[in-house]
Amino acid sequence: MNPRTRLAMVSLACLAGLACSPQDPADSGSTSDQASPVSSEDDRTDVHSYARPAEVAVRHLDLDLDVDFESHRLRGTATLDLTRHGNVSEVVLDARDLTIESVQANGSDLQWSLGESKPYLGAPLTVQLPDGADRISIRYATDPAAAALQWLAPEQTAGGEHPFLLSQSQAILARTWVPCQDTPAVRFTYSATLRVPPGLLALMSAENPAEPSTDGVYSFEMPQPIPSYLLAIAAGDLEFRSLGERAGVYAEPPLADAAAYEFEDTSEMIDAVEALYGPYRWGRYDLLVLPPSFPFGGMENPRLTFLTPTVIAGDKSLVALIAHELAHSWSGNLVTNATWDDFWLNEGFTVYLEQRIMEALRGKEYADMLALLGRQDLKSTIDDLPAEDTHLHLSLAGRDPDEGMTDIAYEKGRFFLRMIEEQVGRERFDTFLQNWFESHAFQSVTTAQFVDYLEENLIAGDKELAEKLQVEAWVYGPGLPQNAPRVESRAFTEVAAQMASWLSGRARIADLEANDWTTHEWLHFLRGLPEDLDAEQMRELDQQFNLTSTGNSEILHAWLHHVIARNYEPGYQALEDFLTGMGRRKFLKPLYERMAKDEQMKQRAAAIYAQARPGYHAVSTATIDEILGWTGES
Ligand code: BES
Ligand code: ZN
């Protein structure tokens, strides 16, 4: 079962030399002929944006917005500073479901037009630029159904008293709340003023306040240039807890203590990555624990990682996720995929870094358990996907970039880097990666650029090494090449042995030495259980280990698969509570998919979904609607 849903550095100076983006991203190509290893300028074309940054590029954004919880709208102005490359007379921005009221420069109205809106891409917003108009102000409002934003009623929060607003811009949802060049190839700095109801704390992916203001007005500054998908906003009843000199966590008051305990190791993680890959370049690193509807485990918004509360297990057992989001401060936020076809440069590198951080904090055995779980995920993803979608370099033209969010980018990417590390030795590879981040900092890079850099700086004409690495096969070929690293875990082998004795009747349930199992050993156990356990075995397991009532979201998720597969009724209430109580797509998707396989279960799924759907973020409903063939109104 694939737990993740389907879903390059070019500096502006480089981009300026290219004439690339097509007028209509939706029409820009078939998917079949793009597996060519040839490095070409076309690699830089972002087929998921209408913007033509080679002509005019946004260099700074200033937002001035009212956050209106009554109408579920942001309303105000986005002022864009533009750099023109040559003699151009218009700028094209991305906009989806935005109401544009006016566009001005130097106090005068400019001509603008919105083109036809397409599914997931939205519409091109074209603004005529007279001479000297290098700063344009767009007055606009968002739609209540803006896909990036979720407006929560008080009862959908932990505190229950105040409303909450959260955003999710990756991959191409920033255009639903800010008119911008919504492509990872463009970076800009930003500043913002937000007005929220007094009493609420407003936060962004920027320098943030630690305390609520009395008048509800907040100012933000992001002095480092970032791509649009890292724009983020949140507002709610939030408290701050320090986690050291440069780290902290914001959470709703009822969760603040638990969050501060769970994420205690954050500063140590920052030190660990810095020791490996160079200085943290973003100032502070804070976490924001969101209400349970947040559709992802985490999102690496710069200076402020957004997190699901389902990562708070009480025993720090799921904090590899913090390591992951922190690692993006190097792989992703500092060195960014230039297009969504290069997504593995963000996620594969990040999973590799995450593994190194966890190894530094918890040791190799621990990190190898994580790697082995990832290896299992990768295997089922490769089995499920058409071969052409298992290349590291993707071909997402004509599709929502969300479809690239599979274990290929994450896990095949990780094992590619791990394989290189094993072939050249850790020391040499660490230096190589550190140089890669350093030399491409604040740039957006293509897969071809990485491959060239690897050839020049690591392979460097060593034919034998090139033969061993098989770079082409990994990057532009299907599946998992033969030289993929083998991962072993003694702990997992032991878990499997115990399970085998129990299943064969050689041992009784009470003989399982599971009391000291870590979360990851439990996950290995639950994933390895046959789907045809009998009712008695399900009951035995549950009685012995209280699986139905576990507070660990990952363990519960793995257990609920068996609850569904075996029609284990004592688990139904927990299944329903889980599906209605949180909106994390990685958990929702496989459970609804499993339920949809059986007609009776599918009906149950539809009933649960009808109840849960209004509480989910648009990112999750887009996926689950499809699984259940949902046609009801939203
Ligand atoms: N950047 C991703 C989340 C994302 C990717 C959102 C693509 C939208 C489009 C984030 O870093 C991530 O990978 N989150 C994972 C966590 C993980 C692999 C530890 C998640 O949410 O499951
Ligand atoms: Zn990630």
Side-chain angles (χ1 to χ4, degrees):
M1 193 70 49
N2 173 12
R4 289 195 186 94
T5 313
R6 301 214 183 154
L7 263 298
M9 178 113 156
V10 177
S11 68
L12 289 181
C14 300
L15 272 168
L18 301 169
C20 49
S21 294
Q23 295 282 341
D24 182 349
D27 295 341
S28 58
S30 67
T31 56
S32 53
D33 57 356
Q34 303 202 350
S36 154
V38 183
S39 154
S40 75
E41 291 180 348
D42 284 341
D43 287 347
R44 288 169 193 214
T45 305
D46 184 352
V47 296
H48 297 108
S49 169
Y50 293 98
R52 305 199 297 259
E55 299 175 7
V56 191
V58 173
R59 121 181 132 244
H60 182 80
L61 161 72
D62 181 57
L63 287 171
D64 186 300
L65 296 173
D66 290 323
V67 178
D68 185 352
F69 281 94
E70 306 276 298
S71 67
H72 291 183
R73 285 181 205 274
L74 302 175
R75 184 159 187 271
T77 48
T79 301
L80 305 172
D81 287 345
L82 307 174
T83 300
R84 299 198 207 197
H85 302 295
N87 198 12
V88 288
S89 60
E90 58 181 38
V91 58
V92 184
L93 303 171
D94 293 294
R96 182 178 153 198
D97 298 332
L98 299 178
T99 302
I100 308 295
E101 293 166 8
S102 69
V103 186
Q104 294 196 325
N106 306 317
S108 320
D109 279 330
L110 300 183
Q111 285 192 347
W112 58 273
S113 64
L114 265 176
E116 186 199 344
S117 185
K118 303 243 161 125
Y120 64 82
L121 293 169
L125 169 60
T126 307
V127 178
Q128 299 306 318
L129 294 178
D131 285 349
D134 292 335
R135 168 175 296 171
I136 61 171
S137 287
I138 304 170
R139 273 203 69 76
Y140 74 102
T142 60
D143 192 88
L149 304 178
Q150 193 178 18
W151 301 87
L152 297 172
E155 55 275 18
Q156 294 173 285
T157 67
E161 281 174 32
H162 300 273
F164 204 104
L165 167 67
L166 62 94
S167 71
Q168 170 56 41
S169 296
Q170 197 180 11
I172 57 169
L173 301 179
R175 63 190 69 177
T176 70
W177 67 286
V178 181
C180 62
Q181 294 184 312
D182 198 8
T183 166
V186 173
R187 311 176 88 87
F188 51 87
T189 53
Y190 83 91
S191 45
T193 302
L194 299 180
R195 282 170 295 278
V196 303
L200 297 193
L201 183 64
L203 299 170
M204 294 191 81
S205 49
E207 278 178 32
N208 274 308
E211 284 182 14
S213 69
T214 48
D215 58 0
V217 182
Y218 294 91
S219 302
F220 304 87
E221 201 70 48
M222 171 42 84
Q224 288 94 346
I226 59 159
S228 57
Y229 78 89
L230 296 175
L231 286 169
I233 180 172
D237 179 20
L238 291 164
E239 238 172 65
F240 176 78
R241 293 276 197 281
S242 173
L243 298 172
E245 243 166 55
R246 49 181 174 164
V249 58
Y250 296 88
E252 291 192 72
L255 286 180
D257 287 337
Y261 172 74
E262 201 80 19
F263 307 133
E264 227 168 32
D265 297 339
T266 305
S267 292
E268 199 186 331
M269 289 184 181
I270 304 174
D271 296 343
V273 215
E274 285 191 317
L276 289 167
Y277 306 115
Y280 178 74
R281 310 274 284 258
W282 305 88
R284 291 191 55 82
Y285 180 71
D286 292 321
L287 307 169
L288 168 61
V289 180
L290 293 152
S293 68
F294 185 60
F296 292 107
M299 177 64 214
E300 66 273 26
N301 297 316
R303 294 182 68 106
L304 186 66
T305 283
F306 280 26
L307 288 177
T308 171
T310 61
V311 74
I312 303 179
D315 59 2
K316 304 183 183 173
S317 64
L318 303 178
V319 297
L321 192 133
I322 307 294
H324 179 97
E325 304 312 334
L326 168 67
H328 273 304
S329 309
W330 287 258
S331 46
N333 300 4
L334 196 60
V335 183
T336 307
N337 51 212
T339 77
W340 299 114
D341 285 348
D342 308 300
F343 185 51
W344 77 277
L345 292 175
N346 275 15
E347 297 299 344
F349 277 62
T350 297
V351 177
Y352 175 80
L353 265 57
E354 167 197 336
Q355 161 194 308
R356 297 293 305 273
I357 298 168
M358 293 318 290
E359 184 179 328
L361 265 76
R362 305 269 158 93
K364 184 156 167 53
E365 293 220 357
Y366 188 96
D368 278 347
M369 288 197 280
L370 295 175
L372 213 50
L373 292 171
R375 185 74 180 67
Q376 295 165 1
D377 292 337
L378 179 57
K379 184 179 179 320
S380 47
T381 297
I382 290 175
D383 291 345
D384 285 355
L385 287 176
E388 65 272 19
D389 286 341
T390 65
H391 305 188
L392 282 178
H393 183 250
L394 297 170
S395 301
L396 294 168
R399 292 189 278 175
D400 187 329
D402 219 42
E403 292 195 28
M405 199 192 175
T406 72
D407 285 309
I408 299 303
Y410 287 81
E411 295 295 345
K412 186 177 175 183
R414 170 241 290 271
F415 284 111
F416 177 46
L417 298 187
R418 183 166 167 150
M419 180 279 295
I420 304 175
E421 180 206 311
E422 287 180 7
Q423 294 290 350
V424 303
R426 182 165 274 196
E427 206 176 321
R428 211 171 134 199
F429 191 55
D430 284 355
T431 308
F432 168 80
L433 272 190
Q434 185 163 11
N435 291 338
W436 164 252
F437 291 131
E438 178 68 35
S439 58
H440 295 80
F442 298 108
Q443 296 176 30
S444 303
V445 279
T446 62
T447 297
Q449 274 175 294
F450 175 71
V451 169
D452 287 350
Y453 186 87
L454 183 71
E455 276 164 4
E456 274 163 36
N457 295 281
L458 200 68
I459 301 176
D462 181 342
K463 290 223 173 67
E464 210 179 311
L465 179 58
E467 188 58 35
K468 280 192 203 152
L469 297 185
Q470 296 290 320
V471 173
E472 295 281 315
W474 276 88
V475 176
Y476 301 106
L480 201 57
Q482 302 236 302
N483 64 353
R486 312 236 170 272
V487 190
E488 271 165 31
S489 156
R490 267 192 303 145
F492 277 13
T493 307
E494 181 55 28
V495 166
Q498 299 228 15
M499 174 156 56
S501 334
W502 173 59
L503 288 173
S504 68
R506 274 178 283 130
R508 286 168 311 139
I509 192 90
D511 300 330
L512 287 184
E513 288 163 21
N515 287 337
D516 297 332
W517 282 355
T518 61
T519 294
H520 306 103
E521 286 163 292
W522 270 112
L523 290 177
H524 185 61
F525 178 82
L526 291 169
R527 288 174 173 204
L529 276 180
E531 280 218 349
D532 62 354
L533 287 187
D534 63 36
E536 180 52 26
Q537 288 170 310
M538 286 291 290
R539 225 168 28 81
E540 256 187 359
L541 265 181
D542 201 11
Q543 272 175 1
Q544 184 76 17
F545 302 113
N546 297 320
L547 293 165
T548 297
S549 57
T550 176
N552 185 303
S553 59
E554 293 280 357
I555 294 177
L556 182 60
H557 173 245
W559 170 245
L560 290 174
H561 273 280
H562 297 287
V563 166
I564 299 168
R566 297 306 316 140
N567 294 310
Y568 178 66
E569 287 198 24
Y572 282 6
Q573 189 59 46
L575 173 63
E576 182 171 337
D577 292 347
F578 192 55
L579 293 173
T580 52
M582 57 92 224
R584 186 175 172 186
R585 188 170 66 174
K586 169 185 135 166
F587 291 149
L588 299 179
K589 185 187 179 224
L591 292 174
Y592 279 115
E593 271 175 349
R594 188 67 188 75
M595 290 174 90
K597 281 190 190 170
D598 166 295
E599 209 29 65
Q600 222 179 342
M601 265 292 176
K602 190 172 178 184
Q603 281 178 22
R604 185 176 287 273
I608 293 174
Y609 189 49
Q611 193 192 333
R613 192 179 184 280
Y616 294 159
H617 187 281
V619 160
S620 293
T621 56
T623 301
I624 313 301
D625 282 357
E626 215 175 296
I627 295 170
L628 297 178
W630 178 264
T631 50
E633 70 281 1
S634 48

